[in-house]
Amino acid sequence: MAIVFGTSGDDTLFGTPESDTIFAGEGNNIIDAFSAGKDTIFAGAGDDQIFVFSGGDTIFAGEGSNLIIAVGRSEGITTIYTGAGDDEFLTGFDTDSIIFAGEGNNSADLGVGNNTFFAGAGNDAIRLRGGTNLIYAGEGANTIEIEAGDNVIYTGSGNDFIDSGEGNNTLFLGGGEDVITLASGSGFNTINNFIVGQTKLQLTEGLTFADLTIAQANNATQISFGTDLLASLTSIQAGSLTSDSFIA
């Protein structure tokens, strides 16, 4: 185990194969803990680049536009806290993470793993590549791209765009003018807090409103293309949906 100290300037700091504690002061730092070990990293204000590998790391990044890359085998949950700024996060295959992003226009590319992401206020771009993900999108006009996985997503009060992809998704909308894509053969969406006249469903891959079957199922409206169930809108009456709720 090593304890590594930086200066108030722009430092390049390296971890060891052990579980290290790294204190990087203010400045635009590069912190390379890209080796085995569960590291704890404290980075002050500045535009930092932080690299961790093994899993189980804890990162406290101060204000600034930080780049944080956590990849490699999963030996625990990597926990990341950032201050205000436009941060970029990248997690790898089989990396489990909990990320608390500060205010700013953040970008997160989350690999196949079990990820929890708290987005602060700002216009965030979030990509989910698979796994089991829990996303809290803060206020702002957020873009969430889902490639695969079983995802639960809470949106804020802004106007969000959700490309639902091939995931099996449960969405809790926060009241903005949200747009959610639907496509045949691309997973299933359970949509809560859908607002008729405000929320829009964008049909992709050649789907049209005439192709759809809209039916009541208990206290939800189910939208299907043939035998392919695309979405279920909770607490919505089927008769209230018209072509105005769709974008072709």
Side-chain angles (χ1 to χ4, degrees), residues 189-204:
N189 298 286
T190 300
I191 303 174
N192 300 279
N193 306 327
F194 186 96
I195 301 174
V196 176
Q198 182 168 313
T199 311
K200 299 292 185 181
L201 300 172
Q202 181 171 320
L203 303 177
T204 64

Side-chain angles (χ1 to χ4, degrees), residues 174-193:
E177 296 181 5
D178 301 316
V179 176
I180 303 157
T181 67
L182 299 180
S184 177
S186 296
F188 172 72
N189 298 286
T190 300
I191 303 174
N192 300 279
N193 306 327

Side-chain angles (χ1 to χ4, degrees), residues 4 11 13 15 17 24 42 54 64 71 81 86 88 90 101 121 138 182 184 187 190 192 216-217 244-245 247:
V4 180
D11 301 310
L13 306 175
F42 299 89
S54 63
V71 299
Y81 303 85
D86 299 338
E88 182 177 354
L90 173 65
L182 299 180
S184 177
T190 300
N192 300 279
Q216 194 71 36
D244 291 338
S245 292
I247 303 171

Side-chain angles (χ1 to χ4, degrees), residues 4-212:
V4 180
F5 291 93
T7 70
S8 60
D10 299 340
D11 301 310
T12 299
L13 306 175
F14 296 92
T16 73
E18 305 300 325
S19 296
D20 305 312
T21 301
I22 300 174
F23 297 91
E26 296 182 0
N28 301 325
N29 304 298
I30 298 174
I31 303 170
D32 185 347
F34 219 56
S35 58
K38 297 177 173 60
D39 303 307
T40 301
I41 299 170
F42 299 89
D47 299 336
D48 301 306
Q49 300 178 48
I50 303 172
F51 307 91
V52 296
F53 177 71
S54 63
D57 304 293
T58 302
I59 300 169
F60 300 89
E63 295 183 1
S65 297
N66 304 295
L67 168 65
I68 301 175
I69 298 178
V71 299
R73 59 191 182 276
S74 179
E75 295 183 356
I77 298 173
T78 295
T79 304
I80 302 170
Y81 303 85
T82 66
D86 299 338
D87 299 308
E88 182 177 354
F89 306 91
L90 173 65
T91 68
F93 178 79
D94 199 28
T95 301
D96 300 336
S97 69
I98 301 176
I99 300 173
F100 299 86
E103 295 184 4
N105 300 325
N106 303 298
S107 172
D109 189 337
L110 305 181
V112 180
N114 302 316
N115 302 292
T116 300
F117 187 83
F118 296 87
N123 302 327
D124 302 306
I126 303 168
R127 173 179 290 179
L128 309 178
R129 295 190 179 272
T132 302
N133 302 293
L134 174 60
I135 307 298
Y136 295 90
E139 297 180 5
N142 304 296
T143 299
I144 303 173
E145 179 182 352
I146 302 168
E147 293 187 359
D150 299 320
N151 307 293
V152 178
I153 299 172
Y154 294 82
T155 68
S157 59
N159 301 331
D160 301 304
F161 178 82
I162 302 174
D163 184 351
S164 60
E166 295 186 3
N168 295 312
N169 310 301
T170 301
L171 311 178
F172 295 88
L173 306 181
E177 296 181 5
D178 301 316
V179 176
I180 303 157
T181 67
L182 299 180
S184 177
S186 296
F188 172 72
N189 298 286
T190 300
I191 303 174
N192 300 279
N193 306 327
F194 186 96
I195 301 174
V196 176
Q198 182 168 313
T199 311
K200 299 292 185 181
L201 300 172
Q202 181 171 320
L203 303 177
T204 64
E205 299 183 6
L207 276 181
T208 67
F209 180 72
D211 296 326
L212 303 178

Side-chain angles (χ1 to χ4, degrees), residues 194 196 209 214 221 223 233 236-243 245-246:
F194 186 96
V196 176
F209 180 72
I214 300 174
T221 292
I223 302 171
L233 314 183
I236 294 294
Q237 295 299 310
S240 66
L241 281 188
T242 69
S243 60
S245 292
F246 295 82

